[in-house]
Amino acid sequence: MKKILKRMTGIFLCVAMAVGIFGTTPAFAEGEDVSAQNTQAQAAQWPTGPEVQASSAVVMDASTGTVLFEKDADTPRYPASITKIMTTLLALENCSLDEVVHFSATAVYENEGGTSHIARDLDEEMTLEQCLYAIMLESANECSYAVAEHVGGGDYQKFIDMMNAKAAELGCTNTHFNNCNGLPDPNHYTTAHDMALIMQEAIKNETFLRVESDLSYTIPPTNMTASPRPLQNHHVMLFQEDPTYGYQGAFAGKTGYTDEAHNTLVTAAKRNNVTLICVVLTCDNLDYITDTRSLFDYGFQHFTHHTLKDTKKESLSGTISLPKDANLKSATYTDPDDAAELESFTRQYFYDGHPIGTAEVSSKKASSSDSSSSSSETAPTGIVTPEANRDDASSTGSLSSPLYILLGLNAAAILVLIFAVIQRSRKKRKRRRRKNHRK
């Protein structure tokens, strides 16, 4: 009997130790850098990006806004002629293509010379459409200035103010425009990420895409020029059939160069219904092409889209970007603090600390018949939902699955020992009765 009690005591001690090991939250040593450990864990999960020579670079998923790779993407730098993406976007949003643009003395004489131009004359007139082709294909600075004056109603500064207001509206945080064409100016700067946001908006415009899709264009004779003027796009990666520089799927973009900015490049490419935007700033030689190619390859090879599905209690509308080998259940999200009081709200999703997209969420108005069968349903998203978290918390508390297994095994062992003790006691009582009976 004493031996059995000792065994039972030992088992209880083992269970107590197990609770101490598995039932507590791991603690970090005093002074240990928790954020560093988290960063290392994230780096192990998020695909490692390529080495790029650009001073600043970013590749972003155009649909979800997810930044797949960045290098100093929020550092302000000179943009050069990629500025003209914003100029073209504002013109398309505020004017009609058949409007006539007049070339002032300032547009002609202060924006030609050693800068990029197509040699327009004072008082020349072109349609807005013709000007936009000259801006996006030949990077014509005098056409950019004339368009800015036209859109601003003759007030050039008004157009510059419109540029900065639009940048702020799109979420740009380190951008300030001081001209419409990107010529060097200490007060004219942007970042790789901000330019990606501007390009993200631009490619939503069908007319912008049409202008970009025409790799060549001819301006017909005007009131001042008797000969037609052929134009050709300078962005060589858009020529997909070019075996040297073309990139399969590239469909829009803008080049830029000044001595101060060096080479800059914005490009959009699409493969398998995934559209990526790449921006590189301050590049030398052909690094702006090789870096862009490397970043696009990285994005298309390592990431994919997941369309979010409804849960039993919520309607979800949204898409997130995830590494192709990622476990969907590892994605997390945050809701607004007052989400419980709202009929609909925007939910932000994360994977290893990286924002990966948003979803519009609204609660379902479940009927009584639906609620009776909902207990057998499971959330089809593969992402842990608030309902699942609460259910898990109420059923498991702070204990882990291994502990439940251990407790179950020990409970079974204890029951067996108790049964053995009872049986042993019964046998002893029978023996005593027999001895007494014999006496």
Side-chain angles (χ1 to χ4, degrees):
M1 185 67 181
K2 290 182 179 180
K3 291 182 179 180
I4 294 175
L5 289 175
K6 287 181 179 179
R7 291 177 185 174
M8 291 179 65
T9 302
I11 291 172
F12 280 117
L13 288 173
C14 290
V15 173
M17 291 175 66
V19 171
I21 293 171
F22 293 100
T24 58
T25 302
F28 294 98
E30 185 177 353
E32 191 170 356
D33 189 351
V34 178
S35 61
Q37 290 199 1
N38 290 338
T39 301
Q40 293 172 0
Q42 292 164 13
Q45 295 292 330
W46 199 261
T48 302
E51 292 289 334
V52 296
Q53 301 305 311
S55 296
S56 292
V58 70
V59 60
M60 183 180 82
D61 189 315
S63 299
T64 65
T66 303
V67 173
L68 309 181
F69 172 90
E70 67 90 16
K71 175 186 176 182
D72 290 334
D74 294 318
T75 300
R77 300 189 189 279
Y78 287 128
S81 287
I82 59 175
T83 299
K84 293 164 184 165
I85 296 173
M86 176 64 91
T87 302
T88 300
L89 176 61
L90 284 176
L92 291 172
E93 290 182 342
N94 291 277
C95 300
S96 300
L97 293 176
D98 58 358
E99 294 182 21
V100 176
V101 176
H102 180 85
F103 283 76
S104 68
T106 305
V108 172
Y109 299 127
E110 294 186 15
N111 291 279
E112 292 190 357
T115 71
S116 178
H117 64 90
I118 59 169
R120 298 295 91 178
D121 289 329
L122 176 63
D123 294 328
E124 189 158 2
E125 292 181 342
M126 291 167 49
T127 67
L128 179 69
E129 181 178 27
Q130 293 164 359
C131 288
L132 296 184
Y133 273 105
I135 292 170
M136 292 304 295
L137 273 61
E138 287 285 349
S139 203
N141 288 322
E142 82 275 34
C143 292
S144 292
Y145 199 98
V147 166
E149 288 184 319
H150 178 80
V151 177
D155 186 344
Y156 179 74
Q157 186 57 48
K158 179 181 177 181
F159 183 81
I160 302 305
D161 293 340
M162 292 171 65
M163 295 177 74
N164 288 311
K166 186 67 176 181
E169 175 189 327
L170 297 177
C172 300
T173 56
N174 290 293
T175 290
H176 184 269
F177 293 116
N178 213 34
N179 60 59
C180 63
N181 43 36
L183 292 176
D185 185 322
N187 292 319
H188 188 87
Y189 51 83
T190 188
T191 69
H193 184 243
D194 285 356
M195 278 308 306
L197 294 176
I198 294 170
M199 187 62 168
Q200 181 185 33
E201 183 69 13
I203 61 176
K204 295 176 183 177
N205 189 296
E206 293 183 2
T207 307
F208 181 90
L209 292 179
R210 179 168 64 80
V211 171
E212 286 281 62
S213 66
D214 294 330
L215 300 179
S216 61
Y217 182 82
T218 299
I219 298 175
T222 70
N223 64 320
M224 302 292 291
T225 305
S227 301
R229 176 63 160 87
L231 310 173
Q232 183 165 334
N233 201 311
H234 293 182
H235 194 328
V236 294
M237 296 185 75
L238 302 184
F239 293 82
Q240 298 186 30
E241 304 306 319
D242 186 326
T244 303
Y245 299 115
Y247 190 83
Q248 195 66 36
F251 65 87
K254 184 71 186 75
T255 59
Y257 177 82
T258 64
D259 289 342
E260 292 80 0
H262 299 248
N263 285 303
T264 62
L265 189 66
V266 177
T267 316
K270 182 176 182 178
R271 291 183 182 178
N272 299 322
N273 294 320
V274 175
T275 299
L276 302 182
I277 296 170
C278 181
V279 181
V280 291
L281 302 179
T282 318
C283 303
D284 294 319
N285 303 316
L286 294 177
D287 289 341
Y288 68 108
I289 295 177
T290 55
D291 283 351
T292 298
R293 183 183 301 278
S294 297
L295 289 169
F296 273 143
D297 287 345
Y298 162 79
F300 287 123
Q301 291 171 9
H302 290 93
F303 295 88
T304 188
H305 280 168
H306 287 276
T307 300
L308 300 171
K309 299 179 181 179
D310 292 351
T311 68
K312 60 185 178 181
K313 293 186 179 181
E314 293 178 333
S315 294
L316 298 174
S317 176
T319 302
I320 60 175
S321 303
L322 276 176
K324 290 184 177 180
D325 58 352
N327 184 351
L328 190 60
K329 293 183 180 180
S330 298
T332 60
Y333 62 77
T334 58
D335 290 340
D337 293 338
D338 58 348
E341 304 171 5
L342 302 174
E343 291 186 3
S344 62
F345 57 88
T346 300
R347 173 174 291 166
Q348 175 69 61
Y349 286 85
F350 299 87
Y351 181 81
D352 279 347
H354 297 263
I356 56 173
T358 61
E360 294 304 311
V361 184
S362 59
S363 298
K364 291 183 177 179
K365 302 296 184 180
S367 64
S368 57
S369 59
D370 292 336
S371 60
S372 63
S373 60
S374 64
S375 60
S376 61
E377 298 175 353
T378 57
T381 60
I383 297 177
V384 178
T385 62
E387 292 78 27
N389 279 335
R390 285 193 289 269
D391 291 341
D392 289 344
S394 62
S395 62
T396 65
S398 62
L399 302 180
S400 59
S401 295
L403 180 57
Y404 274 104
I405 297 172
L406 184 61
L407 288 173
L409 292 174
N410 281 282
I414 291 170
L415 289 174
V416 170
L417 287 172
I418 292 173
F419 180 77
V421 170
I422 293 171
Q423 290 294 103
R424 187 181 180 89
S425 298
R426 287 179 178 176
K427 290 181 179 180
K428 286 185 176 181
R429 284 198 297 268
K430 287 181 181 180
R431 290 174 184 171
R432 291 173 183 170
R433 289 173 185 172
R434 289 174 184 173
K435 289 181 180 179
N436 294 333
H437 181 70
R438 290 175 183 173
K439 292 179 181 179

Short mmCIF file of all heavy atoms in Angstrom, two decimals, residues 306-329:
data_model
loop_
_atom_site.label_atom_id
_atom_site.label_comp_id
_atom_site.label_asym_id
_atom_site.label_seq_id
_atom_site.Cartn_x
_atom_site.Cartn_y
_atom_site.Cartn_z
N HIS A 306 -4.65 36.13 -52.22
CA HIS A 306 -5.69 35.32 -51.59
C HIS A 306 -6.94 36.19 -51.46
O HIS A 306 -6.89 37.26 -50.86
CB HIS A 306 -5.27 34.83 -50.20
CG HIS A 306 -4.24 33.74 -50.23
ND1 HIS A 306 -4.56 32.42 -50.39
CD2 HIS A 306 -2.89 33.80 -50.14
CE1 HIS A 306 -3.45 31.69 -50.38
NE2 HIS A 306 -2.42 32.51 -50.24
N THR A 307 -8.03 35.72 -52.03
CA THR A 307 -9.30 36.43 -51.89
C THR A 307 -9.97 35.97 -50.61
O THR A 307 -10.15 34.77 -50.39
CB THR A 307 -10.22 36.15 -53.09
OG1 THR A 307 -9.56 36.60 -54.29
CG2 THR A 307 -11.54 36.89 -52.94
N LEU A 308 -10.33 36.91 -49.77
CA LEU A 308 -10.93 36.58 -48.47
C LEU A 308 -12.37 36.13 -48.64
O LEU A 308 -13.13 36.71 -49.43
CB LEU A 308 -10.85 37.79 -47.54
CG LEU A 308 -9.43 38.29 -47.25
CD1 LEU A 308 -9.47 39.61 -46.51
CD2 LEU A 308 -8.67 37.26 -46.46
N LYS A 309 -12.76 35.11 -47.89
CA LYS A 309 -14.11 34.56 -47.97
C LYS A 309 -14.89 34.90 -46.71
O LYS A 309 -14.33 35.16 -45.65
CB LYS A 309 -14.04 33.04 -48.15
CG LYS A 309 -13.32 32.61 -49.43
CD LYS A 309 -13.27 31.10 -49.53
CE LYS A 309 -12.54 30.65 -50.79
NZ LYS A 309 -12.47 29.17 -50.87
N ASP A 310 -16.20 34.83 -46.84
CA ASP A 310 -17.07 35.13 -45.70
C ASP A 310 -16.90 34.09 -44.60
O ASP A 310 -16.60 32.92 -44.85
CB ASP A 310 -18.54 35.13 -46.13
CG ASP A 310 -18.86 36.28 -47.06
OD1 ASP A 310 -17.99 37.15 -47.23
OD2 ASP A 310 -19.97 36.30 -47.61
N THR A 311 -17.07 34.54 -43.36
CA THR A 311 -17.17 33.63 -42.23
C THR A 311 -18.65 33.46 -41.90
O THR A 311 -19.51 34.04 -42.55
CB THR A 311 -16.44 34.19 -40.99
OG1 THR A 311 -17.15 35.34 -40.52
CG2 THR A 311 -15.01 34.58 -41.34
N LYS A 312 -18.97 32.66 -40.89
CA LYS A 312 -20.37 32.43 -40.56
C LYS A 312 -21.03 33.67 -39.97
O LYS A 312 -22.25 33.77 -39.95
CB LYS A 312 -20.51 31.25 -39.60
CG LYS A 312 -19.78 31.42 -38.27
CD LYS A 312 -19.86 30.16 -37.44
CE LYS A 312 -19.11 30.29 -36.12
NZ LYS A 312 -19.18 29.03 -35.33
N LYS A 313 -20.23 34.62 -39.48
CA LYS A 313 -20.80 35.81 -38.85
C LYS A 313 -20.47 37.10 -39.59
O LYS A 313 -21.05 38.14 -39.29
CB LYS A 313 -20.30 35.93 -37.41
CG LYS A 313 -20.82 34.83 -36.49
CD LYS A 313 -20.40 35.10 -35.05
CE LYS A 313 -20.94 34.03 -34.10
NZ LYS A 313 -20.56 34.29 -32.70
N GLU A 314 -19.53 37.05 -40.57
CA GLU A 314 -19.11 38.27 -41.23
C GLU A 314 -19.06 38.10 -42.74
O GLU A 314 -18.73 37.03 -43.25
CB GLU A 314 -17.72 38.69 -40.75
CG GLU A 314 -17.65 39.11 -39.30
CD GLU A 314 -16.25 39.48 -38.88
OE1 GLU A 314 -15.29 38.95 -39.47
OE2 GLU A 314 -16.11 40.28 -37.94
N SER A 315 -19.38 39.19 -43.44
CA SER A 315 -19.19 39.26 -44.89
C SER A 315 -17.89 40.02 -45.15
O SER A 315 -17.70 41.12 -44.64
CB SER A 315 -20.36 39.98 -45.55
OG SER A 315 -21.56 39.25 -45.41
N LEU A 316 -17.01 39.41 -45.92
CA LEU A 316 -15.69 39.99 -46.18
C LEU A 316 -15.54 40.27 -47.67
O LEU A 316 -15.90 39.44 -48.50
CB LEU A 316 -14.58 39.05 -45.72
CG LEU A 316 -14.52 38.72 -44.22
CD1 LEU A 316 -13.47 37.66 -43.96
CD2 LEU A 316 -14.22 39.97 -43.42
N SER A 317 -14.96 41.41 -48.00
CA SER A 317 -14.66 41.76 -49.38
C SER A 317 -13.26 42.34 -49.43
O SER A 317 -13.03 43.46 -48.96
CB SER A 317 -15.68 42.77 -49.91
OG SER A 317 -15.34 43.18 -51.22
N GLY A 318 -12.33 41.56 -49.96
CA GLY A 318 -10.96 42.05 -50.02
C GLY A 318 -9.99 40.98 -50.48
O GLY A 318 -10.32 39.80 -50.55
N THR A 319 -8.79 41.42 -50.80
CA THR A 319 -7.72 40.53 -51.26
C THR A 319 -6.45 40.88 -50.49
O THR A 319 -6.19 42.05 -50.21
CB THR A 319 -7.47 40.71 -52.77
OG1 THR A 319 -8.68 40.44 -53.48
CG2 THR A 319 -6.39 39.75 -53.26
N ILE A 320 -5.68 39.86 -50.15
CA ILE A 320 -4.41 40.08 -49.46
C ILE A 320 -3.28 39.44 -50.25
O ILE A 320 -3.50 38.53 -51.05
CB ILE A 320 -4.44 39.52 -48.02
CG1 ILE A 320 -4.72 38.00 -48.04
CG2 ILE A 320 -5.45 40.24 -47.17
CD1 ILE A 320 -4.63 37.36 -46.67
N SER A 321 -2.09 39.95 -50.04
CA SER A 321 -0.88 39.40 -50.67
C SER A 321 -0.13 38.57 -49.64
O SER A 321 0.08 39.03 -48.52
CB SER A 321 0.02 40.52 -51.18
OG SER A 321 -0.66 41.35 -52.07
N LEU A 322 0.30 37.37 -50.05
CA LEU A 322 1.05 36.50 -49.16
C LEU A 322 2.18 35.82 -49.91
O LEU A 322 2.07 35.56 -51.11
CB LEU A 322 0.14 35.42 -48.57
CG LEU A 322 -0.70 35.75 -47.33
CD1 LEU A 322 -1.60 34.58 -47.00
CD2 LEU A 322 0.20 36.06 -46.16
N PRO A 323 3.28 35.50 -49.21
CA PRO A 323 4.29 34.65 -49.83
C PRO A 323 3.65 33.33 -50.27
O PRO A 323 2.75 32.82 -49.61
CB PRO A 323 5.30 34.43 -48.70
CG PRO A 323 5.14 35.62 -47.81
CD PRO A 323 3.67 35.94 -47.85
N LYS A 324 4.09 32.80 -51.38
CA LYS A 324 3.46 31.60 -51.94
C LYS A 324 3.53 30.40 -51.01
O LYS A 324 2.66 29.54 -51.03
CB LYS A 324 4.10 31.26 -53.28
CG LYS A 324 3.75 32.24 -54.39
CD LYS A 324 4.32 31.82 -55.72
CE LYS A 324 3.89 32.79 -56.82
NZ LYS A 324 4.45 32.40 -58.15
N ASP A 325 4.58 30.30 -50.19
CA ASP A 325 4.71 29.16 -49.28
C ASP A 325 4.20 29.49 -47.87
O ASP A 325 4.44 28.74 -46.93
CB ASP A 325 6.16 28.70 -49.20
CG ASP A 325 7.11 29.80 -48.73
OD1 ASP A 325 6.65 30.96 -48.62
OD2 ASP A 325 8.29 29.49 -48.49
N ALA A 326 3.49 30.61 -47.71
CA ALA A 326 3.03 31.02 -46.39
C ALA A 326 1.81 30.22 -45.95
O ALA A 326 1.00 29.77 -46.77
CB ALA A 326 2.69 32.50 -46.37
N ASN A 327 1.71 30.02 -44.65
CA ASN A 327 0.52 29.40 -44.06
C ASN A 327 -0.52 30.48 -43.86
O ASN A 327 -0.32 31.42 -43.10
CB ASN A 327 0.88 28.74 -42.72
CG ASN A 327 -0.29 28.00 -42.11
OD1 ASN A 327 -1.43 28.10 -42.57
ND2 ASN A 327 -0.03 27.24 -41.07
N LEU A 328 -1.64 30.35 -44.54
CA LEU A 328 -2.69 31.37 -44.47
C LEU A 328 -3.16 31.62 -43.04
O LEU A 328 -3.53 32.73 -42.68
CB LEU A 328 -3.86 30.94 -45.34
CG LEU A 328 -4.96 31.98 -45.60
CD1 LEU A 328 -4.38 33.19 -46.29
CD2 LEU A 328 -6.08 31.38 -46.43
N LYS A 329 -3.11 30.57 -42.21
CA LYS A 329 -3.57 30.70 -40.82
C LYS A 329 -2.64 31.58 -40.00
O LYS A 329 -2.99 31.99 -38.90
CB LYS A 329 -3.70 29.32 -40.18
CG LYS A 329 -4.81 28.47 -40.78
CD LYS A 329 -4.93 27.14 -40.07
CE LYS A 329 -6.05 26.30 -40.68
NZ LYS A 329 -6.20 25.00 -39.99
#
